[in-house]
Amino acid sequence: MRRLTTLGIAVSLALVAAPATATATSTAAPPVTELGGTLANGATWAAEVPAGWNGKLVLYSHGFRPGPDNPAWDPGFDSTAQALTDRGFAVAASSYASAGWALGTAAQDQLDTLAAFSAAAGEPDRTIAFGTSMGGLVSSLIAETPDSGVDGAVSTCGLLGGGINLNNYQLDGIHALAELLLPGQDLQLTGFRTSAEAGATITALMQAVQQAQATPEGRAKVALAAALMNTPTWFSGESAPDRRDFAAQQEAQYNWLLQTIPFVVGSRVSIVTAADGDSGWNQGVDYRALLQQSAQRQQVDALYRTAGLDLKRDLRTLTAAADIEPDEEALDWMDRTSTPQGDLQIPVLTMHTLADILAPVEYMEEYAETVREARATPLLRQSFVERTGHCTFTDAERVAAVLAMDERLDTGRWANLADPRQLDRRAESLGLGEADFIQYKPAEFINDRVWNPGTGHGHGPGKGHGPGKGHGPGKGHDPGKGSGHGPGKGNGPGHGR
């Protein structure tokens, strides 16, 4: 939390066990009261309540943390939190019960934080969930929870394609790198249980990619793997490369991959540990069909022609070698805890940059499709920021999104609140920095698929791993049943169907 000054002495306030404690402080900014405590499962929570509290609470969900440090308050949100408390909002957050892939408890931890805050400060008149990255997924899951006590949700840079798609799109990319750049090598791609296992794969892939970048043939193969991994073609600068400048696009993808491979492969240890198995699979995937759907297929075609390579042959190689099956119990867990079903109970506003390597902007197309199939589209609006990077929003953009949701809850309708020009005007009127909202339609997310035990899978627009959306009745992996993340309808506790 913010460092606060009392009687000229700088102090840091530690969280204490429940019941909540409060400390009133005064700085140059309006004074806030800090609250904090420990939930029943060991998660800690913290909150800031301004002296002139307007009765509205922003319930903040943080992103993935590798650990071991796992504080309730996210320093990366501190300046936004101050901008919100300056405007009368209270802000509350939790650590979740664990670091890493915390989806087993995260949504409920946030709702328990809301309950603890209400007991300490009084029940808010309105609560807006706000999440970043993995926390954006948490906020979207809260938005599907009936009678959650939350009124609206803002999901920024969210992993809204869900955890199953996360594992699969990353697997598609590293499968291509391994098969095309390291043929014949027995390289582990899934099921990482230790950092040493992940580290060996990271080292091999990084060396292979760096060596490949030195030749036209290698660059073409890197571009193919990058396309299968939804890697952005804009890395830095004020604007993206020209749409026909395929060499510049490939260089951007190469630079992204150097940053991405260590993080995504390393993070799979946490996901595998949480799910007690790896939900990722590519058995039966037709990689030619995937590339046909990709917005980057022209780039890949052009680079393969320039290098004199046979693209069809490489795609056949990838398809023939695709034999990884999921751990089905892990797949069930990811479906229950980490996969949006789209059944929104409250309004949701998403915000995403155009070139996000950890949560590809194509995820927003997938999420909109999921919500549409659940017939909840009237509750959803999506916004986009013309910028590169993961969660690289300004305070102005973040606060503008909260204020837009606040007005949506006031009026009961969206009108033009999520229009990029309206969001831009609102953001730039706050005195918190620049804003770059833009009208944008994301390309198809190409890696969604359905797992059918015993028969492999058919690639297509399915969600889950059974009859699922687009392939039979219901959502998920059992017709008519569902599972989720809190109290709700379904086969036991859940917030889905």
Side-chain angles (χ1 to χ4, degrees):
M1 303 179 75
R2 305 176 211 163
R3 293 186 64 83
L4 305 169
T5 303
T6 304
L7 300 177
I9 301 173
V11 296
S12 293
L13 298 177
L15 297 175
V16 297
T21 61
T23 302
T25 58
S26 178
T27 66
V32 298
T33 296
E34 294 196 350
L35 305 173
T38 301
L39 303 177
N41 65 0
T44 55
W45 67 276
E48 292 188 348
V49 184
W53 183 31
N54 61 14
K56 300 171 184 178
L57 173 68
V58 174
L59 183 63
Y60 176 69
S61 299
H62 68 73
F64 180 92
R65 295 172 176 166
D69 292 340
N70 191 30
W73 196 261
D74 185 351
F77 194 66
D78 197 51
S79 61
T80 305
Q82 180 166 339
L84 289 167
T85 57
D86 287 350
R87 288 161 177 79
F89 291 84
V91 179
S94 84
S95 64
Y96 315 143
S98 64
W101 191 258
L103 272 294
T105 67
Q108 190 59 52
D109 292 338
Q110 291 299 93
L111 298 183
D112 290 347
T113 293
L114 173 57
F117 175 90
S118 298
E123 184 175 346
D125 297 328
R126 173 174 295 165
T127 299
I128 297 173
F130 187 108
T132 56
S133 192
M134 186 185 79
L137 174 56
V138 173
S139 293
S140 76
L141 297 177
I142 290 172
E144 297 180 5
T145 305
D147 304 319
S148 68
V150 175
D151 302 290
V154 177
S155 176
T156 68
C157 47
L159 304 179
L160 301 189
I164 295 172
N165 282 330
L166 177 76
N167 281 343
N168 282 339
Y169 92 75
Q170 292 174 356
L171 173 59
D172 288 335
I174 64 174
H175 168 72
L177 292 174
E179 291 297 326
L180 300 179
L181 305 183
L182 297 168
Q185 293 194 25
D186 186 16
L187 190 66
Q188 182 178 354
L189 300 182
T190 60
F192 301 106
R193 291 284 185 171
T194 68
S195 57
E197 289 178 344
T201 297
I202 291 167
T203 298
L205 290 177
M206 291 288 283
Q207 290 176 349
V209 169
Q210 289 169 324
Q211 291 171 6
Q213 191 65 11
T215 67
E217 296 83 1
R219 290 192 290 272
K221 293 179 179 182
V222 168
L224 172 55
L228 297 175
M229 203 171 179
N230 303 288
T231 305
T233 55
W234 178 20
F235 181 72
S236 61
E238 293 297 317
S239 59
D242 185 84
R243 65 185 183 89
R244 302 293 294 179
D245 191 347
F246 301 131
Q249 293 172 15
Q250 191 278 337
E251 184 178 4
Q253 292 170 318
Y254 167 72
N255 286 322
W256 278 126
L257 286 173
L258 293 183
Q259 293 187 12
T260 306
I261 291 170
F263 183 82
V264 300
V265 176
S267 298
R268 286 184 85 102
V269 176
S270 175
I271 301 175
V272 168
T273 299
D276 196 23
D278 201 316
S279 69
W281 84 92
N282 68 355
Q283 185 183 79
V285 171
D286 180 348
Y287 282 98
R288 180 178 176 274
L290 258 66
L291 184 63
Q292 281 297 109
Q293 297 179 67
S294 172
Q296 299 169 21
R297 64 185 180 277
Q298 287 186 320
Q299 176 218 22
V300 176
D301 281 338
L303 292 174
Y304 262 76
R305 286 196 302 272
T306 299
L309 296 178
D310 187 337
L311 176 58
K312 291 181 180 179
R313 183 181 64 187
D314 277 355
L315 290 169
R316 286 194 298 269
T317 296
L318 295 181
T319 298
D323 60 0
I324 296 173
E325 298 183 13
D327 180 309
E328 292 192 17
E329 290 186 0
L331 192 57
D332 286 340
W333 188 89
M334 291 290 280
D335 191 42
R336 290 195 310 271
T337 67
S338 310
T339 303
Q341 305 299 320
D343 191 13
L344 301 182
Q345 307 293 306
I346 57 176
V348 172
L349 174 64
T350 68
M351 183 165 69
H352 224 83
T353 60
L354 302 192
D356 185 331
I357 188 58
L358 297 181
V361 69
E362 291 86 355
Y363 255 1
M364 296 302 100
E365 180 275 334
E366 179 74 1
Y367 184 62
E369 180 182 319
T370 300
V371 172
R372 181 171 63 252
E373 291 176 358
R375 300 180 180 178
T377 296
L379 289 170
L380 176 67
R381 291 295 184 273
Q382 296 184 298
S383 64
F384 299 91
V385 172
E386 191 176 19
R387 192 173 298 125
T388 66
H390 183 55
C391 306
T392 53
F393 306 112
T394 64
D395 287 337
E397 290 159 349
R398 288 173 166 178
V399 174
V402 171
L403 294 178
M405 176 56 69
D406 191 40
E407 186 171 345
R408 163 63 179 81
L409 296 172
D410 278 341
T411 63
R413 59 192 185 95
W414 283 108
N416 67 342
L417 292 172
D419 179 87
R421 292 168 295 183
Q422 178 72 4
L423 286 169
D424 241 20
R425 284 193 293 268
R426 187 190 295 271
E428 291 179 353
S429 73
L430 299 173
L432 294 173
E434 64 179 14
D436 288 299
F437 289 99
I438 187 173
Q439 192 75 37
Y440 185 76
K441 181 179 180 180
E444 177 81 12
F445 178 76
I446 65 174
N447 312 85
D448 56 327
R449 47 194 182 245
V450 173
W451 175 254
N452 292 308
T455 60
H457 95 285
H459 173 73
K463 321 280 192 301
H465 56 281
K469 299 183 183 176
H471 297 267
K475 302 176 184 176
H477 62 278
D478 197 3
K481 297 180 182 178
S483 47
H485 319 266
K489 296 177 276 187
N491 185 24
H495 78 259
R497 297 186 195 273

